[in-house]
């Protein structure tokens, strides 16, 4: 049975239909990630769940209870914002305990919950400090700790790592994953970063234009995208999309064919199915990305390989593909199974 359910949820801003009849079920203990390009509606949808944006039509059900029009404070949800949203004049301990103090919780229980959350997040040495005395990563952990002490039914994360540098993002991402496993909490996480989506999620919800394009595990989305949008949005570098005329043995309905960079291989000139000229070689240490411009059409593709290439920029090359990993798309951009 679903724990959180969105039923035909709509959101309008005047004449703009921002969220369009979204249906989604989330199970207890799942880590769900909303991902998509800027303006796709992922943060709006999260704020609708939190009660910070009005739901214009449809229903929102949590643990069997209708909460569509409940005030945010009554929904038993806790949100972690991108901007930390800490009280600058309060200590870490005071920030983390604020919601419990407002509710009139007994001081002994407050102390116990704050101490436990601080220990989990490695914040115990910083409880008497104010936010200005903390690093960005420590401030984000305080914001997460403030959510933990409330013991909510669902945690909501709105791009919590976007203000951190790359190294700290990676470290904090691991901490959030470990925290989810320890708490076995139901979590919804919004990000535009597909690495976060692929590494954190039990299931990923891909949004575009206020519509859910596909829901699935990270590898389901990577290996079996429902359409061209998902195919190119999930994966870095993105999937190569070429005219179906380059490929043999495919459906008559196929207009475009997608191939992941790792499913192409460089062979000697004249020995492969596709020919072109090398435009750029990106040597990244653990892998090399080879950019090729195809003869005749000028279409471009990227080949990923894990050994150092012997070719150089402007060399003519041939390319073969793994026929077992082709993704075929019809004229509407939908996958052909």
């Amino acid at each position: 049975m679903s724990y959180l359910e969105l039923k035909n949820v709509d959101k309008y801003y005047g004449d703009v239909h921002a969220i369009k009849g979204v249906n989604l079920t989330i199970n207890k203990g799942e880590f769900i990630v909303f991902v998509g390009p800027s303006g796709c509606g992922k943060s709006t949808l999260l704020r609708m769940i939190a009660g910070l944006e009005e739901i214009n039509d449809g229903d929102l059900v949590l643990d069997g209870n209708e909460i569509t029009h409940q005030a945010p404070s009554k929904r038993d949800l806790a949100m972690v914002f991108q901007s930390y949203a800490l009280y600058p004049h309060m200590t870490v301990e005071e920030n983390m305990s604020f919601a419990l103090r407002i509710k009139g919780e007994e001081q002994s229980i407050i102390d116990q919950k704050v101490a436990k959350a601080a220990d989990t997040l490695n914040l115990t040495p910083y409880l008497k400090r104010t936010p200005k005395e903390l690093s960005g990563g420590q401030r984000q952990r305080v914001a997460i700790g403030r959510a933990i002490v409330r013991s909510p039914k669902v945690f909501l994360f709105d791009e919590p790592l976007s203000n951190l540098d790359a190294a700290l993002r990676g470290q904090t991402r691991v901490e959030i994953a470990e925290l989810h496993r320890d708490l076995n909490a139901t979590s919804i996480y919004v990000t535009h970063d597909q690495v976060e989506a692929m590494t954190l999620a039990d299931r990923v919800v891909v949004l575009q234009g206020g519509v859910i394009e596909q829901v699935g595990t990270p590898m389901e989305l990577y290996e079996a995208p429902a359409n061209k949008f998902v195919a190119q949005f999930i994966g870095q570098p993105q999937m190569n999309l070429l005219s179906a005329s380059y490929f043999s043995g495919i459906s008559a309905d196929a207009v475009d064919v997608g191939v992941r960079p790792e499913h192409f291989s460089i062979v000697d000139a004249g020995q492969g199915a596709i020919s072109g000229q090398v435009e750029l070689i990106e040597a990244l240490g653990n892998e090399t990305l080879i950019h090729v411009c195809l003869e005749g059409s000028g279409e471009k593709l990227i080949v990923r390989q894990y050994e150092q290439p012997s070719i150089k920029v402007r060399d003519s090359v041939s390319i073969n593909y793994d026929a077992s990993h082709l993704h075929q798309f019809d004229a509407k951009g939908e996958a052909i199974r």
Side-chain angles (χ1 to χ4, degrees):
M1 181 178 176
S2 64
Y3 189 60
L4 179 66
E5 188 171 5
L6 289 80
K7 302 178 181 179
N8 296 312
V9 169
D10 284 287
K11 177 64 182 176
Y12 292 87
Y13 294 103
D15 294 331
V16 177
H17 197 178
I19 300 295
K20 304 169 184 175
V22 164
N23 289 282
L24 180 66
T25 58
I26 297 171
N27 299 318
K28 190 171 185 179
E30 269 197 301
F31 199 119
I32 298 293
V33 176
F34 293 168
V35 70
S38 296
C40 71
K42 55 188 183 293
S43 289
T44 298
L45 191 57
L46 188 78
R47 292 172 65 85
M48 290 165 68
I49 294 170
L52 303 177
E53 292 282 358
E54 180 185 1
I55 295 175
N56 296 129
D57 197 12
D59 299 302
L60 180 64
V61 179
L62 174 61
D63 198 15
N65 299 311
E66 171 91 25
I67 63 168
T68 310
H69 302 294
Q70 278 190 2
S73 60
K74 303 295 184 183
R75 296 191 179 197
D76 203 5
L77 309 172
M79 192 160 180
V80 179
F81 296 91
Q82 174 183 345
S83 61
Y84 317 141
L86 302 177
Y87 296 106
H89 63 287
M90 292 185 185
T91 64
V92 168
E93 184 177 25
E94 290 168 340
N95 267 284
M96 290 173 65
S97 65
F98 182 74
L100 300 180
R101 288 186 281 119
I102 291 295
K103 286 176 60 178
E105 197 78 72
E106 291 184 13
Q107 189 61 47
S108 60
I109 295 176
I110 292 175
D111 293 342
Q112 180 182 353
K113 288 185 175 182
V114 170
K116 183 177 180 180
D119 182 61
T120 300
L121 295 165
N122 296 317
L123 289 172
T124 303
Y126 310 106
L127 285 174
K128 301 302 179 184
R129 296 189 186 183
T130 56
K132 68 180 180 180
E133 299 173 285
L134 305 176
S135 68
Q138 289 166 343
R139 292 178 195 176
Q140 194 55 274
R141 291 207 298 272
V142 174
I144 295 171
R146 183 175 54 191
I148 290 173
V149 298
R150 293 177 54 192
S151 302
K153 289 183 176 179
V154 181
F155 289 93
L156 306 175
F157 296 89
D158 189 9
E159 302 203 46
L161 308 185
S162 58
N163 287 337
L164 306 180
D165 62 46
L168 201 49
R169 283 177 73 117
Q171 176 188 333
T172 310
R173 185 172 70 239
V174 171
E175 291 172 352
I176 289 175
E178 292 174 345
L179 183 65
H180 173 73
R181 287 195 297 269
D182 292 343
L183 297 177
N184 193 31
T186 307
S187 302
I188 305 174
Y189 188 104
V190 164
T191 182
H192 63 275
D193 187 332
Q194 60 171 280
V195 174
E196 290 177 19
M198 297 291 282
T199 55
L200 287 173
D202 294 320
R203 286 190 299 151
V204 178
V205 179
V206 182
L207 289 131
Q208 165 71 343
V211 174
I212 292 179
E213 296 284 353
Q214 189 173 358
V215 181
T217 66
M219 291 313 298
E220 284 173 350
L221 268 58
Y222 191 81
E223 295 177 346
N227 52 47
K228 287 200 296 185
F229 174 78
V230 176
Q232 291 206 289
F233 190 81
I234 299 296
Q236 186 61 38
Q238 66 181 20
M239 180 184 288
N240 298 288
L241 274 182
L242 299 176
S243 167
S245 60
Y246 284 104
F247 303 87
S248 59
I250 59 174
S251 168
D253 294 326
V255 174
D256 297 296
V257 174
V259 186
R260 296 285 180 198
E262 61 268 26
H263 296 139
F264 276 134
S265 57
I266 300 285
V267 295
D268 292 336
Q271 301 300 309
I274 303 171
S275 297
Q277 184 180 67
V278 177
E279 283 197 332
L280 175 67
I281 297 175
E282 294 182 272
L284 304 177
N286 63 319
E287 65 180 13
T288 301
L289 302 178
I290 302 168
H291 298 246
V292 179
C293 181
L294 304 189
E295 289 181 359
S297 68
E299 292 188 73
K300 298 181 181 182
L301 58 80
I302 299 176
V303 181
R304 171 185 273 133
Q305 64 181 44
Y306 298 98
E307 63 274 356
Q308 292 295 322
S310 57
I311 56 175
K312 303 181 297 296
V313 173
R314 297 192 180 88
D315 280 356
S316 293
V317 295
S318 283
I319 299 164
N320 277 335
Y321 54 85
D322 184 342
S324 65
H325 287 92
L326 298 183
H327 302 267
Q328 302 178 50
F329 302 99
D330 63 20
K332 295 182 179 180
E334 299 297 318
I336 300 172
R337 302 299 184 195

